[in-house]
Amino acid sequence: MDKEEIKEWIIQEFKNGKIRDTWFPMLSVSGVRDYSETVHSTGLNYITEIGRQLDGYTAVSEYPVYPINESFGHSITREVRPDSIWYDKEDLKPVLVSEFERFENSKAKNDKLREKIENLLIAYHQLGGNLPIILFVYWSYSGIVPKDIEKYISIFDEGFRLPNGIYINGINSFESDYLVFQAVAKGNKEKLTINQWIQVK
């Protein structure tokens, strides 16, 4: 599969939920309790399972990325562990990195959202800077309208500066794309379902 076919695979799964219904009924039918990292763990494993169901690919959850890319010109000291990385089974080259993060309209959560997007960009460069797709999903309760989300998403294009002053470039748009989705949770803290996955970018 090429990049566009993988993207379409993701878009269609989020829309029709076949894998979600089969392997993660707690997301689509019975509901999951919003306690500690339950929603996060379920969501990231769902994304990993989408990669595993893609013919010719495999996927792993929470896989640490070695924090050096010689071709990038320097060591990036911040270790990152994306929620999901998909690999081509034949050459074991990474084809996708993903994060699944909670969104709330608070400074602390906004800072966390920014950090996750930055981590995806760091992982992208540490994995060679030419993997086809970055997938970022933020989930929120129904009725929460994300503020300034475009400001954070723009990091993928514009890059950012680390606290030590090193500038991390944005993606190479000739080689790579990014997908951004908002997953909308319905119900209450005792029983949340997430069946609405809205493409933002």
Side-chain angles (χ1 to χ4, degrees), residues 69-84:
N69 180 349
E70 298 297 342
S71 65
F72 196 45
H74 56 74
S75 168
I76 301 173
T77 56
R78 187 156 117 195
E79 181 183 287
V80 295
R81 186 174 59 189
D83 285 338
S84 186

Side-chain angles (χ1 to χ4, degrees), residues 99-143:
E99 287 282 356
F100 180 80
E101 184 61 30
R102 183 182 193 130
F103 180 89
E104 292 176 341
N105 284 316
S106 70
K107 185 181 185 307
K109 286 297 181 183
N110 285 351
D111 289 346
K112 189 68 173 176
L113 201 74
R114 180 185 182 92
E115 179 187 355
K116 290 293 186 177
I117 289 173
E118 290 177 355
N119 285 350
L120 278 174
L121 196 54
I122 290 172
Y124 166 84
H125 286 295
Q126 289 172 345
L127 290 167
N130 60 355
L131 71 163
I133 303 166
I134 295 175
L135 171 63
F136 181 64
V137 180
Y138 59 95
W139 75 272
S140 64
Y141 276 78
S142 179

Side-chain angles (χ1 to χ4, degrees), residues 4-148:
E4 295 304 319
E5 289 174 317
I6 296 173
K7 286 167 57 180
E8 188 61 23
W9 171 262
I10 295 165
I11 291 167
Q12 288 306 312
E13 167 54 30
F14 283 161
K15 186 180 295 183
N16 63 45
K18 289 182 180 178
I19 296 170
R20 186 167 65 246
D21 291 346
T22 301
W23 297 99
F24 296 90
M26 68 286 283
L27 278 179
S28 60
V29 181
S30 60
V32 60
R33 185 192 301 271
D34 182 9
Y35 166 73
S36 184
E37 298 297 318
T38 54
V39 179
H40 179 255
S41 180
T42 308
L44 72 89
N45 279 285
Y46 168 46
I47 290 169
T48 297
E49 188 62 35
I50 296 172
R52 290 175 179 164
Q53 296 289 325
L54 185 60
D55 190 41
Y57 297 87
T58 189
V60 291
S61 295
E62 298 188 314
Y63 191 77
V65 177
Y66 191 64
I68 293 176
N69 180 349
E70 298 297 342
S71 65
F72 196 45
H74 56 74
S75 168
I76 301 173
T77 56
R78 187 156 117 195
E79 181 183 287
V80 295
R81 186 174 59 189
D83 285 338
S84 186
I85 305 181
W86 301 5
Y87 291 91
D88 186 303
K89 285 182 181 177
E90 287 190 6
D91 56 20
L92 295 181
K93 287 184 178 178
V95 296
L96 177 145
V97 290
S98 179
E99 287 282 356
F100 180 80
E101 184 61 30
R102 183 182 193 130
F103 180 89
E104 292 176 341
N105 284 316
S106 70
K107 185 181 185 307
K109 286 297 181 183
N110 285 351
D111 289 346
K112 189 68 173 176
L113 201 74
R114 180 185 182 92
E115 179 187 355
K116 290 293 186 177
I117 289 173
E118 290 177 355
N119 285 350
L120 278 174
L121 196 54
I122 290 172
Y124 166 84
H125 286 295
Q126 289 172 345
L127 290 167
N130 60 355
L131 71 163
I133 303 166
I134 295 175
L135 171 63
F136 181 64
V137 180
Y138 59 95
W139 75 272
S140 64
Y141 276 78
S142 179
I144 292 181
V145 179
K147 295 177 181 176
D148 299 325

